[in-house]
Amino acid sequence: MQTLMVELDERSYPIHVGPGLIDRGDLYAPYIAGRQVMIVTNETVAALYLQRVKAQLGDYQLAETILPDGEQYKTIDCVEQIWDGLLAARFNRRATIIALGGGVIGDMAGFAAACYQRGIAFIQVPTTLLSQVDSSVGGKTGVNHPRGKNMIGAFWQPRAVIIDTATLESLPPRELSAGLAEVIKYGLIRDLEFLAWLEDNVEALRALDAQALTKAILRSCAVKAEIVAEDETEQGVRALLNLGHTFGHAIETDQGYGRWLHGEAVASGMMMAATLSARLNDLDAAALARVETLLRAAGLPVHAPEGMSSERFLELMRLDKKVLDAGLRLVLLDRLGQARVEANVDEALLVEMLNAYPRATLARQRDDSIG
Amino acid sequence: MQTLMVELDERSYPIHVGPGLIDRGDLYAPYIAGRQVMIVTNETVAALYLQRVKAQLGDYQLAETILPDGEQYKTIDCVEQIWDGLLAARFNRRATIIALGGGVIGDMAGFAAACYQRGIAFIQVPTTLLSQVDSSVGGKTGVNHPRGKNMIGAFWQPRAVIIDTATLESLPPRELSAGLAEVIKYGLIRDLEFLAWLEDNVEALRALDAQALTKAILRSCAVKAEIVAEDETEQGVRALLNLGHTFGHAIETDQGYGRWLHGEAVASGMMMAATLSARLNDLDAAALARVETLLRAAGLPVHAPEGMSSERFLELMRLDKKVLDAGLRLVLLDRLGQARVEANVDEALLVEMLNAYPRATLARQRDDSIG
């Protein structure tokens, strides 16, 4: 087991990473506030891991909320189910929520914790690569709205994050690849050395090599923690974490939640951001090719969805919350390993890039990648 | 106009108090983050003041959410209406919410602001005495749940509070009295001199004397601000602000939201806390009589609801979020002007007090008070 401390003054917390950690009751105990524990999970994850987690918590008053599996259930209605469960169990403000599952479960359980009696403790037990490297750090919680992703939410920090790398063995390969999109992002925005390591190790990661996974997860969390520590409430440098996300959110909204995985949409979005950076002469052709090669090697799409027009991209991007009242803000690359926020993107250039950017169905791109 | 600064480091904000302030556009402008303003109000207050506030905001992109009037509408459904309105207007994270109304509107609009895109600016324009002296300070926002009051919410600070004392002229006398319950509370828990001033000025306050109102509002906000500054997230001394509230919430829940006004339930609850303090020999008979005389002079109930059993009190008090996993915590009085948290109230003594405590219908108590 290796541990990374996320330093946030009185809200600092540990991220433990290693195989078999969900069976380590001693890792949960120090972070459970009172005697009441609510486990929030989904039907898929419950079948795999719920009993094992409960077996470690026999001394507590336990309750559970098992939600349906999928991004389309990341709604205020599901969060209300958690609140109803907490109140039905008569849990007080010293109760603790354990989020057992991927990012959707973590975001909803964290938001439920943030707002139950104005804030209770929660512990993250992320079981997908995406949530392990993305949701473990930053304190973002919330739900989607029919008009946009993550529109309702709060900043709320976990007391601890427990990452069991062995849970990735039950993860579909497609979701592992989606998680790798965020891992690659950390290399692209801030760490050229890590990016090069990923180019050498992407096959080992896809083959679930434990040592490679541990390094990739820890390094990803460390990069994110550095950035978040500099900017906890997302006024400045933290915006760099959104590389590919404005394009990606547009893809997800257009396609309907859950059709493209978040990581797949972000991968395609990062490729679009890199392409725009190349048009601005920040990236040369060789650098752009490295981005595409690595994304493809990770099993990720690099084209936009078939049939999604440039106009549709612009329409959806304008609603994105990273777009301020004036101008069009995007994260672009100065070079590999260094990103910047471009506050006033030239809309004509953006449209030109969007028009020229290749489209393909997701299925076709996945066939290419697997083949 | 007088101004009190609430000191909370980078989240410090002013409370402006005086007649005619809702027509002062110059007071809003410095605290509006971007160009988008959503006014949240209810049907009653909209008819009286909405056009006047809008007249001051002609330069902004305006939207409004008008909710039904009453504590029974303090629900997550109404907060969702605000979120839907913000999204329908395509407001981004630099939008500002103005809460125009009493505590119910302030709590819901504040909660909507806390969770819209993980937090946007809001300005309080409280139009009832209760909300002016209670909701202006402390950052508590949220909604009720069928199983309990204020069970869902967040801590979120306003950018500014604008209190127009002239709005109290449109307030029913019964609601003015309910607001005086919280004013009296500040004297009881922390300021004997202010309590004595209230004994001398309660008639002037009920007659809406502008000078007396301004002093009472400012002093109440100042006492609360002192306490909140010491303890922003309610771990310690802030619990004193709950004098009478554990009993009061039980009354409100038993009677159904909106039948007893919050301030009426708190008044009766403070009398119960004072009575328990007298049984513990902290208050003498003369001090207890002063509490009762002042509450009656303010037009407030001092008995529990007719037919509400001691068992029912205990059942509902155990769900109250101020009651921790172990023991029964109540705020009691050491003496007039000084309160304490009693962490392990003797349940037998509590039951004895509850059994002996007089019951009367609210209507009967109001008749007594008016007569």
Side-chain angles (χ1 to χ4, degrees), chain B residues 313-327:
Chain B
F313 265 104
L314 287 173
E315 175 198 344
L316 292 169
M317 287 166 71
R318 283 204 188 86
L319 183 61
D320 192 289
K321 64 186 171 301
K322 283 103 198 171
V323 180
L324 295 188
D325 358 18

Side-chain angles (χ1 to χ4, degrees), chain A residues 152-296:
Chain A
I152 308 304
F155 285 100
W156 196 246
Q157 304 293 344
R159 296 290 182 95
V161 180
I162 298 169
I163 296 176
D164 185 341
T165 52
T167 59
L168 298 179
E169 290 165 17
S170 60
L171 195 69
R174 185 180 163 200
E175 291 197 34
L176 191 84
S177 289
L180 287 174
E182 297 281 346
V183 174
I184 292 166
K185 182 189 76 178
Y186 296 114
L188 284 173
I189 63 175
R190 190 145 164 144
D191 192 338
L192 180 59
E193 192 182 329
F194 183 43
L195 191 74
W197 181 88
L198 287 170
E199 290 173 323
D200 293 338
N201 289 275
V202 63
E203 287 310 318
L205 291 167
R206 293 184 77 181
L208 297 176
D209 176 274
Q211 206 174 337
L213 282 173
T214 301
K215 165 157 179 160
I217 293 166
L218 277 172
R219 186 66 204 136
S220 295
C221 290
V223 169
K224 186 164 182 185
E226 280 170 34
I227 291 175
V228 169
E230 291 170 25
D231 179 22
E232 200 186 334
T233 53
E234 198 163 25
Q235 305 301 306
V237 66
R238 186 161 168 171
L240 302 183
L241 296 171
N242 295 321
L243 176 69
H245 280 60
T246 300
F247 294 111
H249 285 167
I251 291 172
E252 286 179 278
T253 304
D254 178 73
Q255 298 289 303
Y257 293 142
R259 301 275 297 280
W260 281 52
L261 297 178
H262 176 69
E264 292 170 337
V266 166
S268 185
M270 290 195 296
M271 192 64 210
M272 295 172 89
T275 304
L276 192 56
S277 302
R279 285 193 176 241
L280 290 162
N281 296 319
D282 290 319
L283 290 192
D284 60 23
L288 187 61
R290 278 180 70 180
V291 177
E292 180 167 351
T293 301
L294 179 55
L295 291 171
R296 284 182 183 274

Side-chain angles (χ1 to χ4, degrees), chain A residues 36-344:
Chain A
Q36 304 168 334
V37 177
M38 160 70 82
I39 304 173
V40 177
T41 187
N42 68 34
E43 289 161 359
T44 309
V45 177
L48 294 164
Y49 302 116
L50 180 57
Q51 292 311 316
R52 281 169 61 187
V53 173
K54 285 172 76 170
Q56 297 300 319
L57 300 169
D59 293 341
Y60 298 92
Q61 184 188 340
L62 286 184
E64 58 198 48
T65 302
I66 301 176
L67 298 168
D69 184 8
E71 175 94 16
Q72 66 271 39
Y73 300 106
K74 187 171 154 181
T75 62
I76 191 76
D77 287 349
C78 282
V79 171
E80 287 192 69
Q81 278 190 50
I82 303 171
W83 290 330
D84 291 345
L86 288 162
L87 284 160
R90 301 191 157 232
F91 279 11
N92 60 34
R93 59 169 59 178
R94 281 165 55 75
T96 300
I97 288 179
I98 293 180
L100 174 66
V104 170
I105 286 296
D107 282 7
M108 284 198 288
F111 184 51
C115 298
Y116 185 66
Q117 303 203 15
R118 298 196 196 90
I120 63 172
F122 93 113
I123 296 172
Q124 295 251 36
V125 186
T127 60
T128 65
L129 181 59
L130 174 60
S131 60
Q132 289 167 356
V133 301
D134 184 39
S135 314
S136 297
V137 178
K140 284 189 176 182
T141 72
V143 296
N144 297 328
H145 186 280
R147 291 180 193 264
K149 273 177 67 76
N150 296 319
M151 284 289 154
I152 308 304
F155 285 100
W156 196 246
Q157 304 293 344
R159 296 290 182 95
V161 180
I162 298 169
I163 296 176
D164 185 341
T165 52
T167 59
L168 298 179
E169 290 165 17
S170 60
L171 195 69
R174 185 180 163 200
E175 291 197 34
L176 191 84
S177 289
L180 287 174
E182 297 281 346
V183 174
I184 292 166
K185 182 189 76 178
Y186 296 114
L188 284 173
I189 63 175
R190 190 145 164 144
D191 192 338
L192 180 59
E193 192 182 329
F194 183 43
L195 191 74
W197 181 88
L198 287 170
E199 290 173 323
D200 293 338
N201 289 275
V202 63
E203 287 310 318
L205 291 167
R206 293 184 77 181
L208 297 176
D209 176 274
Q211 206 174 337
L213 282 173
T214 301
K215 165 157 179 160
I217 293 166
L218 277 172
R219 186 66 204 136
S220 295
C221 290
V223 169
K224 186 164 182 185
E226 280 170 34
I227 291 175
V228 169
E230 291 170 25
D231 179 22
E232 200 186 334
T233 53
E234 198 163 25
Q235 305 301 306
V237 66
R238 186 161 168 171
L240 302 183
L241 296 171
N242 295 321
L243 176 69
H245 280 60
T246 300
F247 294 111
H249 285 167
I251 291 172
E252 286 179 278
T253 304
D254 178 73
Q255 298 289 303
Y257 293 142
R259 301 275 297 280
W260 281 52
L261 297 178
H262 176 69
E264 292 170 337
V266 166
S268 185
M270 290 195 296
M271 192 64 210
M272 295 172 89
T275 304
L276 192 56
S277 302
R279 285 193 176 241
L280 290 162
N281 296 319
D282 290 319
L283 290 192
D284 60 23
L288 187 61
R290 278 180 70 180
V291 177
E292 180 167 351
T293 301
L294 179 55
L295 291 171
R296 284 182 183 274
L300 289 162
V302 293
H303 298 335
E306 186 150 274
M308 186 171 170
S309 69
S310 304
E311 293 68 31
R312 180 72 174 147
F313 265 105
L314 288 172
E315 175 197 344
L316 291 169
M317 289 166 71
R318 285 206 187 85
L319 183 61
D320 192 288
K321 62 187 173 303
K322 284 101 197 171
V323 181
L324 295 187
D325 357 20
L328 184 61
R329 276 163 60 98
L330 285 175
V331 182
L332 298 177
L333 293 172
D334 283 334
R335 53 180 175 77
L336 296 184
Q338 187 173 306
R340 73 165 185 285
V341 174
E342 180 71 42
N344 277 294

